[in-house]
Amino acid sequence: MIPIFEQFLLLPVTPPGNLAYHAVLAFTIFGALQGALNYRRTFNGPEGRRMAFGLASLLFIQVALFALTGLAWQGLIGAESLVPVLDRAAGLLSSLVIIWLWTFPKKNRLADATFLLVGVLLVALAVYGWVWWQGLNPVDEARYFNGSVADVVGGGIALVLFLLGLFIVIIRRPSGWGYGMAMFLGLTAGTLVHWLTPLVDNDFAGAVRLAEMAFYPLLLALPQRSSLTVQPDDTPTTRSTVSRFSSDLKAQQELLRLASSSSPKQFYQELARSISQLMGADICILEIPQLNTDTLIFPVGYNQNMDRQVEGFTLDQRKAPNLTDALRHNRPMIIKPGSNSPDLLSLIPPLAINQVGSILAVPVVTKNQASLLGIVLLTPYSKRAWTENDQMFLTEAAQALAPIVLQMQQSVRQQEDLDATRQRLQALDGDATQAIGENAQLISRLEEYQQLLYEEKQRSDSLAALVKEHTSQLETITTLEQRNATLEAQVQQDTLSGDESTEAQLRQVLGEMASMSTSLFQADQKMLELRTKTAEADPERRDQDVIISIAQELRQPMSSIVGYTDLLLSESVGLLGAMQRKFLERVKASSERMGGLLEELIQVSALDDRQNALSPELVDLSAIIDEAVAGMIAQLSEKNIALQVDLPEELPPIQADLEALQQVLSNLLHNACLITPADGQITLRARVESKNNVPNFLLLQVTDQGGGIPAEDMPRVFSRLYRADNALIQGVGETGIGLSIVKTLVEAHGGRIWVDTEMGRGSSFSVLLPLVETIIAPETGGQSG
């Protein structure tokens, strides 16, 4: 061996160079351990814990060897009998730990168990080697550990370990695998040099120690390997990414303001915009979990690049299997750009983009792993590749958002329960509001008269029936006056010690109610005069005009009642007692309800009179369905109702009035949502019906799980008769005239509507409309002079 090279190899194996060797390795490992501890404090993941454990083990081995070497140098222990064997055993164990750290940065039970078993075998082999070394002839003063059988076997084991580590790291290619491969190659070269040309007159491997001093500093790259993932040139590093997250105070403030939002739709829109700004994503879309459905529903989203909201859409789960699996099992997921995943292609059409880029999906779950929301981020414009740091940050943000999302959903359900309770209380109110309820019944009977006028044309005893109704109305007015007298007496009793001006205002309200009763009586007189002129031309049109005129005349006294009630409630004319305020609030609520019934009466009369002429045009049915579904998202989410949409791949255009068709579909979905119980399912189907020599028709079906409609109630489903004094129809959600309006609009388009029901299961409302045919409004009758 060349003398200069031999002297160079002797530096780390002879005192005090051997102490310097152990000190250099210990300080190097300590620096890497400090970086691993910082990484663990920042991300608090299993990778940081594994790294810290492995480096702490290496540091303990080097500190122990440093202490033993110092004691042997001072002659306190026998260096020849103990230190050489421990040095070789410690070197093999350190090599095993280094290979474990570089090749398996994340938990792998099989690999961990294998490395642990190999470590136990190495310890057992070291014990056997020490016993063998002690059993040699002690008289032989010229014995050295280098070149011995134990040294050759140990060197061979080290070469096998490093070659195995090279093979694993090349196959697995974890983050920063290039540094690990360089370290393995350097340590392999040092071990091979010592194995072929050992220092024959020494107990320690100088070439191995020089290689360790040269390549152990690569351990400092272990804590940084999470930032070594290949990213596009315009992607910031991990440090700059963390800085961007922490400095985006505006986006964080927007997230905090979400807790004060009261509208569910506005809440989800602001949430998508805030997350997109916080994460630097080009597009953020939100997914609402659905049970027992094959469709992913994305109600809202935000395009930060174009600064606009993304319209809601649905996606077949079969077209996005990876995204569906991640969100259904509450697992975060990253799909890199250029991947052959079908999820990348499935999102291009609904978002109207050329490419998706990278996808980052993170679920928002409660503490008991109940799914609340799915967050999906895309980078079609910046082409940025999401990293594990982005995933960790968004996961933590989702955990912080979970209570806010849960609170929003609970508040919506509570508001719905409160409204339902308030409606039940109003329906069951039998004291002072009974007087106002009688007025509501009078308004509803005006609607009954419209149907009676049509039937009376076919019967000769129509005048007698009208007189009978008039007599009933007079009895009702008498009852109303009695109720008003009772109310006035109660108010006078409560306000004996109160403000005289408040009592005067209450009397004025009662006067207005009496005036309304007079108006109703005059309306009856007009209807009697109408029946005496049945011989005049076109009586049906005149009857409808009178009904609309009567309804419009009733608006003025009702407006006066509401105005005076608001004035009294504001206490601008004096303080109110608790009982007075309670009565006035009931008066106002009932008056507003009467106003809504009048508006429905005018709308139905206008439809029958063909005053609302249709404006047919070619419309895109898919767009109308998407808009109707998007409008129902909040109501469906409040009751956790699954909406299954079954549409063909392409729907032909239809000649129809856009607003009328939207009203038909919205009313049917609203009725299904009202009657379907919580956690139920609604199905919306559309298909084209075609037969030979028959024009094509479009069939729309809305199926609910409301329990079905009894056979005796089927004739009243589309009836306009107000059902306040009749039993509610089981299986029908609305109590007004919504379904009758749907029937009128459908028939105006030349179509027809019917309902199929099954008791105990639900009902299916079907609408059949002609395709691409000009709608000709039926000719109206001539006007009577």
Side-chain angles (χ1 to χ4, degrees), residues 88-89 91-92 95 99 118 122 125 145 147-165 187-198 205 208:
R88 294 300 196 278
L92 290 176
S95 301
I99 295 172
V118 174
L122 290 179
L125 187 61
F145 195 81
S148 64
V149 176
D151 177 54
V152 174
V153 173
I157 294 175
L159 287 175
V160 172
L161 290 177
F162 288 134
L163 292 177
L164 182 62
L187 296 178
T188 301
T191 303
L192 188 61
V193 170
H194 170 73
W195 202 42
L196 296 177
T197 58
V208 174

Side-chain angles (χ1 to χ4, degrees), residues 581-600:
R581 177 172 290 277
K582 179 180 179 182
F583 286 163
L584 287 176
E585 288 177 350
R586 291 173 177 174
V587 168
K588 181 181 178 181
S590 298
S591 299
E592 292 176 348
R593 183 185 177 197
M594 290 167 61
L597 293 174
L598 283 175
E599 293 299 330
E600 288 185 350

